[in-house]
Amino acid sequence: MSQYYDVDAVRQNFPSVEHIVYLDSGFQTPLSRPVKEAYERFLQEGFETAGPKQIWLNRLEETRVKVATLLGAKPHEIAFTKNTSESMNIAANALPLRTGDKVLMIDGDHPNNAYAFLNLQKKGVEIVFIPMTEVVNAESFRPYIDERTRAISMSHVTFHAGHRFDVESVGDLCAQRDLYFIVDVMQGIGVVPIDAKAMKATFIGSGTHKGLLVPQGLGLLYWDATRIELEPAYLAAASLATPPADFIARADNMGLPATAGRFELGNFNLPAIQGLGAALDLIEAVGIENIQNHCFDLGDYLIERLDGLDVGLVGPREREHRAPHIYVIALPAADWLDYFTRTGIRVSPERDGIRVSLGMFNTPADIDRLVEAVRARNAPATPQARTAVLSKLG
């Protein structure tokens, strides 16, 4: 494998990976030292001073700038939310859709993307699902577009098999047909480079507890600020262009800012946002392209080792169409998950097998441990030989 960065140094930021073979970053990433320290700093400041709120809010804006940089966007196009589901619901309800309008989605995509739009059926909006295939691009959607189609919503990377869809070509199609384009980037952000402008996305939604290394409870929303017609389905003082200084609501003061702040409700998850700032510093120091390439190389190695065992892979194998960090092994989760847990390997069950999801801290040795565990269980060996193999797994 190529050495894109000092993996051993990065691993020191994730102490838990020294005690477990952690191959489950698609569920959530282990807590890193920089993020833990950011939380501790927040708690210490609150404990000692009862909360330096303006300092915390200043750090929030610094983190907003970092998020914008990661997404190739402007800071005023970034809103903080609770999670991916909230981001997708904000986006779905901001679209000016009417009875008879149609939204295209992918069958089998993440349910928390789908339900945000399925809920619009009560307004008379039609939701049409196109087939999920290993390759999804503009041509996949084109036959389903008609005069009633107003939007396309899809994931960039699938959670259950690691497809990496051609969102740029779909974004081009949406621009050509004047369609709104909403992208769920939760499974790719922090590992796969994302360029909101190249995607031509109207909205991009994500949480932060996977590739962005922050515990659950914080989400992100990118909004194309040229789409000024898109307004929130709800309103709070924090959403206004000029919040009332005397805290008295007035019907003649409901103007929205020309920023993504129109989609925020205030009372932010401040400790998580400080943690995100630290996480983004770590990601920037390592380099998002380096993280992607490192995970691609590990994925190639995993596929090679699985091929040697004649164990199948669910989803695409080619780099062009696969995510660098998500791989589903064709082993029944009901039969294998507990076994991996007992052998000190953390993975997730998925629809068609066992999901292995990689992070910046993983090494070929982690892949070897996983593969040797599979070999040990599948090998038609004597009990003594099986015990010898298992002993190597630690």
Side-chain angles (χ1 to χ4, degrees), residues 131-202:
M132 180 181 291
T133 54
E134 286 206 355
V135 178
V136 172
N137 55 27
E139 299 312 308
S140 307
F141 285 98
R142 196 181 300 277
Y144 297 87
I145 296 175
D146 59 23
E147 69 281 355
R148 294 190 297 114
T149 307
R150 300 293 306 281
I152 293 175
S153 182
M154 64 185 294
S155 291
H156 184 199
V157 170
T158 63
F159 70 100
H160 65 281
H163 305 84
R164 182 163 53 98
F165 295 139
D166 185 358
V167 290
E168 286 80 9
S169 75
V170 179
D172 286 337
L173 176 64
C174 288
Q176 295 164 13
R177 302 297 295 267
D178 194 25
L179 306 179
Y180 295 112
F181 186 37
I182 302 90
V183 187
D184 172 355
V185 300
M186 178 58 177
Q187 286 294 344
I189 195 169
V191 178
V192 178
I194 295 170
D195 186 331
K197 302 305 180 183
M199 284 185 185
K200 296 183 173 63
T202 309

Side-chain angles (χ1 to χ4, degrees), residues 23-79:
L23 298 169
D24 204 15
S25 291
F27 174 69
Q28 66 180 30
T29 44
L31 192 64
S32 68
R33 293 186 191 277
V35 174
K36 174 176 177 286
E37 289 165 2
Y39 273 80
E40 289 173 341
R41 180 184 184 187
F42 176 89
L43 293 174
Q44 190 66 28
E45 289 171 339
F47 184 73
E48 293 178 348
T49 70
K53 188 171 184 179
Q54 191 54 55
I55 292 175
W56 290 343
L57 291 175
N58 290 343
R59 290 182 192 150
L60 179 149
E61 296 304 330
E62 292 170 0
T63 301
R64 195 191 302 273
V65 171
K66 295 174 185 179
V67 172
T69 300
L70 182 73
L71 297 180
K74 301 295 184 183
H76 70 273
E77 295 178 307
I78 304 299

Side-chain angles (χ1 to χ4, degrees), residues 294-318:
H294 174 71
C295 289
F296 263 136
D297 284 0
L298 286 177
D300 290 342
Y301 183 57
L302 173 64
I303 292 171
E304 177 187 339
R305 298 283 330 258
L306 291 175
D307 286 348
L309 297 181
D310 198 25
V311 174
L313 189 74
V314 178
R317 296 168 63 95
E318 298 79 16

Side-chain angles (χ1 to χ4, degrees), residues 2-278:
S2 299
Q3 184 79 2
Y4 300 100
Y5 54 89
D6 189 341
V7 181
D8 290 337
V10 167
R11 283 177 71 86
Q12 292 176 17
N13 287 302
F14 298 87
S16 63
V17 304
E18 299 301 333
H19 309 293
I20 185 172
V21 180
Y22 197 89
L23 298 169
D24 204 15
S25 291
F27 174 69
Q28 66 180 30
T29 44
L31 192 64
S32 68
R33 293 186 191 277
V35 174
K36 174 176 177 286
E37 289 165 2
Y39 273 80
E40 289 173 341
R41 180 184 184 187
F42 176 89
L43 293 174
Q44 190 66 28
E45 289 171 339
F47 184 73
E48 293 178 348
T49 70
K53 188 171 184 179
Q54 191 54 55
I55 292 175
W56 290 343
L57 291 175
N58 290 343
R59 290 182 192 150
L60 179 149
E61 296 304 330
E62 292 170 0
T63 301
R64 195 191 302 273
V65 171
K66 295 174 185 179
V67 172
T69 300
L70 182 73
L71 297 180
K74 301 295 184 183
H76 70 273
E77 295 178 307
I78 304 299
F80 290 108
T81 66
K82 179 181 177 182
N83 50 37
T84 313
S85 301
E86 184 175 59
S87 295
M88 302 310 287
N89 273 274
I90 290 171
N93 287 281
L95 302 183
L97 301 179
R98 300 175 295 181
T99 298
D101 288 343
K102 187 165 74 173
V103 177
L104 302 181
M105 305 191 74
I106 302 173
D107 187 39
D109 208 342
H110 199 287
N112 286 335
N113 180 8
Y115 283 126
F117 288 89
L118 285 170
N119 194 42
L120 299 179
Q121 292 179 133
K122 63 188 178 186
K123 298 180 179 180
V125 176
E126 182 184 2
I127 310 300
V128 175
F129 290 96
I130 75 166
M132 180 181 291
T133 54
E134 286 206 355
V135 178
V136 172
N137 55 27
E139 299 312 308
S140 307
F141 285 98
R142 196 181 300 277
Y144 297 87
I145 296 175
D146 59 23
E147 69 281 355
R148 294 190 297 114
T149 307
R150 300 293 306 281
I152 293 175
S153 182
M154 64 185 294
S155 291
H156 184 199
V157 170
T158 63
F159 70 100
H160 65 281
H163 305 84
R164 182 163 53 98
F165 295 139
D166 185 358
V167 290
E168 286 80 9
S169 75
V170 179
D172 286 337
L173 176 64
C174 288
Q176 295 164 13
R177 302 297 295 267
D178 194 25
L179 306 179
Y180 295 112
F181 186 37
I182 302 90
V183 187
D184 172 355
V185 300
M186 178 58 177
Q187 286 294 344
I189 195 169
V191 178
V192 178
I194 295 170
D195 186 331
K197 302 305 180 183
M199 284 185 185
K200 296 183 173 63
T202 309
F203 286 107
I204 291 174
S206 179
T208 62
H209 62 277
K210 300 185 182 185
L212 292 183
L213 313 178
V214 175
Q216 295 184 12
L218 179 63
L220 309 172
L221 181 70
Y222 158 83
W223 165 63
D224 177 358
T226 67
R227 309 308 295 258
I228 200 70
E229 77 277 12
L230 302 180
E231 299 183 351
Y234 47 69
L235 200 65
S239 315
L240 301 176
T242 55
D246 57 6
F247 289 93
I248 297 175
R250 297 177 178 85
D252 62 353
N253 179 27
M254 297 178 63
L256 298 172
T259 73
R262 61 177 53 197
F263 300 109
E264 294 177 335
L265 290 177
N267 285 339
F268 300 96
N269 186 345
L270 292 174
I273 289 172
Q274 289 196 189
L276 178 60

